[in-house]
Amino acid sequence: MGANEANGRIAPLEMAPEEFRSLGHRLVDQIALFLADLQKRPVTPGETPAQVRAVLGNDPLPERGTAPETVLEEAWRLLVDHSLFNGHPRFAGYVTSSAAPSGALAELLAAAVNPNCGAWTLSPMASEMEAQAVRWIAEFIGYPARCGGLLVSGGNMANFVGFLAARRAKAPWDIRSEGAGAGSGKRLLAYASKETHTWIQKAADLFGLGTNAIRWISAGSDCRVDSSELRARIEADQADGGQPFLVVGSAGTVSTGAVDPLPELAELAREYGLWFHVDGAYGAPAAALPDAGDDLKGLVEADSIALDPHKWLYAPLEAGCTLVRDPQHLLDAFDYSPVYYRFDADAEERPINFYEYGPQNSRGFRALKVWAGLRVAGREGLCRMIADDIYLAKSLYQEVQAHAELEALSQGLSITTFRYVPADLDRHDPAAAAYLNQLNEELVHRIQKSGEAFLSNAVVQGKFALRLCIVNFRTTQSDIRALPEIVIRLGRETDAELR
Ligand SMILES: *Cc1c(COP(=O)(O)O)cnc(C)c1O
């Protein structure tokens, strides 16, 4: 610090309150207009990476600063003209939701207060609000509210936390000190259906078990795990000197929204003394619906659940959540309590230090947008949005069946898969199978680039499918009714070029 500044430091990143007020008001006005007109924009400009990079430019790190007004204005233009909008009513691609506008405001507030939600002392109210949000999420889906839990960045991380809790709880040796390979030849084994999301490969790899520690169990034509194969596999591995420790069930698979028979898996895991983890990153919130099926409601029996507030609770990215039936299992898996973190030395009651419950140390206040969204919608409002999403996906399934050039393939939760079949081709003809896959693969790219609507893809019983997934409170019946025409028009166009 120069001597001249010693008594009146002017930091380049400080901002006078009047400037903050006027820049903030302007930005909020721009965002309000953007949200009002969102449906008039294309879902995506469909640009190539080279086009996007050319717009951004290739300047080196600037030596000198730029006025925040200019920086924000530029960021605004770059983003509104060159983004894909998952909050657009016709975005129905991946499991990425429209974001509650209240969440955007909550993020601003969270960043302004900037509590460090690693330690209670550094974030007294924020930590309590996170604990409350976690409790509300548990109550929402029917999980015991005395459970432990915390927010993480997303579904992958939320599943990792469950995986690590399971590993610590079920390895018969001290895995945290000795490592995953210390079982004197006994290999830790995890069981999951072939429809399980790729987080499980990352977990097995990252945490030292290796992906061969995953026992892939077949899924039936309904994409649900085959529980008799699961039982047989566990028994064979136990007889063979393996160390089964984890059964994973999906509450809504990422491809088709299939729900595994969770009560049956819970029973099986209990019988063999294994941890039962439910990946509910997508579908767990649907367990709150009054008409949820017993298979889905069975997630309450899990030892741990991963779910994603940034999916079906409509929080802006990022927010994942892990719930663990017994909070002690998180402490067992993550706590070290070193002397330099004696935050609670003279506390009467042990406060919640989230760094002891998960992998992160410093933690942001991602809980605020989640907490706010849960309050703004309430249980009733959340259920209504989720039920509407499911209703719309089902109504597309019905629409599709009415069109000779479309073939409905699957329907689960708010995911519908289908494909385009040219009028002169027989969908059952084996000779046409490869071409139909190629055609629909090209078609999904074309739909995505068109900006008219955004679908993704899945493979359903060997068929390349278009996949609609609605976790979007802006999608309406008229958006759904518009889809068959778009798909058929672009499908005919693609077919004419490919054949
Ligand atoms: C999205 C998803 C994940 C991964 O969650 P992220 O938030 O993308 O990390 C895991 N499992 C399922 C079933 C999902 O739908």
Side-chain angles (χ1 to χ4, degrees), residues 88-416:
H88 191 291
R90 295 207 176 165
F91 178 85
Y94 302 99
V95 194
T96 296
S97 67
S98 49
S102 58
L105 296 172
E107 285 276 75
L108 176 64
L109 175 56
V113 178
N114 198 35
N116 185 335
C117 300
W120 190 93
T121 305
L122 303 181
S123 56
M125 182 52 80
S127 281
E128 295 296 341
M129 289 168 88
E130 175 162 348
Q132 187 169 58
V134 167
R135 215 155 52 230
W136 283 346
I137 290 170
E139 286 170 11
F140 183 59
I141 62 169
Y143 203 57
R146 290 183 324 280
C147 68
L150 79 171
L151 297 187
V152 292
S153 55
N156 265 28
M157 284 300 297
N159 281 304
F160 291 173
V161 169
F163 188 94
L164 288 167
R167 200 181 73 144
R168 164 64 182 79
K170 294 297 178 183
W173 62 92
D174 178 359
I175 194 162
R176 292 181 71 193
S177 310
E178 305 297 328
S184 33
K186 272 189 163 250
R187 181 168 204 180
L188 288 170
L189 298 169
Y191 298 77
S193 115
K194 289 176 179 162
E195 294 290 322
T196 307
H197 186 278
T198 54
W199 70 265
I200 191 153
Q201 281 113 311
K202 286 197 178 175
D205 171 10
L206 285 170
F207 305 128
L209 277 62
T211 52
N212 291 343
I214 306 166
R215 295 296 196 236
W216 296 106
I217 309 300
S218 308
S221 58
D222 56 1
C223 299
R224 287 148 45 89
V225 72
D226 177 341
S227 43
S228 50
E229 183 180 320
L230 173 61
R231 175 187 294 277
R233 231 23 227 284
I234 294 171
E235 286 187 355
D237 285 329
Q238 280 181 338
D240 209 32
Q243 186 67 57
F245 78 106
L246 170 67
V247 172
V248 174
S250 289
T253 59
V254 65
S255 273
T256 62
V259 176
D260 282 331
L262 301 180
E264 211 177 317
L265 297 187
E267 183 61 44
L268 235 146
R270 252 196 308 272
E271 192 181 329
Y272 292 97
L274 313 183
W275 185 278
F276 179 40
H277 173 76
V278 168
D279 176 7
Y282 160 46
L289 299 181
D291 60 351
D294 289 340
D295 280 341
L296 182 54
K297 286 201 203 132
L299 58 67
V300 303
E301 295 181 54
D303 295 299
S304 55
I305 300 177
L307 69 96
D308 254 346
H310 69 209
K311 288 180 172 170
W312 234 349
L313 297 178
Y314 312 99
L317 294 159
E318 303 167 339
C321 176
T322 310
L323 302 173
V324 175
R325 180 173 298 278
D326 177 355
Q328 185 62 40
H329 281 130
L330 288 177
L331 289 170
D332 289 349
F334 294 103
D335 184 26
Y336 284 105
S337 297
V339 282
Y340 52 85
Y341 278 165
R342 275 293 160 77
F343 288 111
D344 51 348
D346 49 24
E348 294 158 17
E349 119 188 69
R350 188 179 161 106
I352 187 148
N353 293 311
F354 278 108
Y355 80 90
E356 299 171 330
Y357 289 81
Q360 269 184 281
N361 192 62
S362 291
R363 301 171 73 252
F365 192 15
R366 57 166 57 93
L368 184 59
K369 64 194 172 194
V370 177
W371 184 89
L374 291 167
R375 283 199 60 187
V376 168
R379 175 191 290 277
E380 181 273 330
L382 287 169
C383 284
R384 189 144 42 86
M385 290 185 288
I386 293 168
D388 285 350
D389 286 346
I390 294 174
Y391 171 83
L392 289 173
K394 283 185 171 160
S395 84
L396 180 74
Y397 191 75
Q398 279 155 11
E399 288 263 343
V400 159
Q401 286 170 320
H403 289 270
E405 286 168 86
L406 300 177
E407 179 185 2
L409 292 172
S410 75
Q411 208 298 305
L413 297 177
S414 66
I415 297 178
T416 291

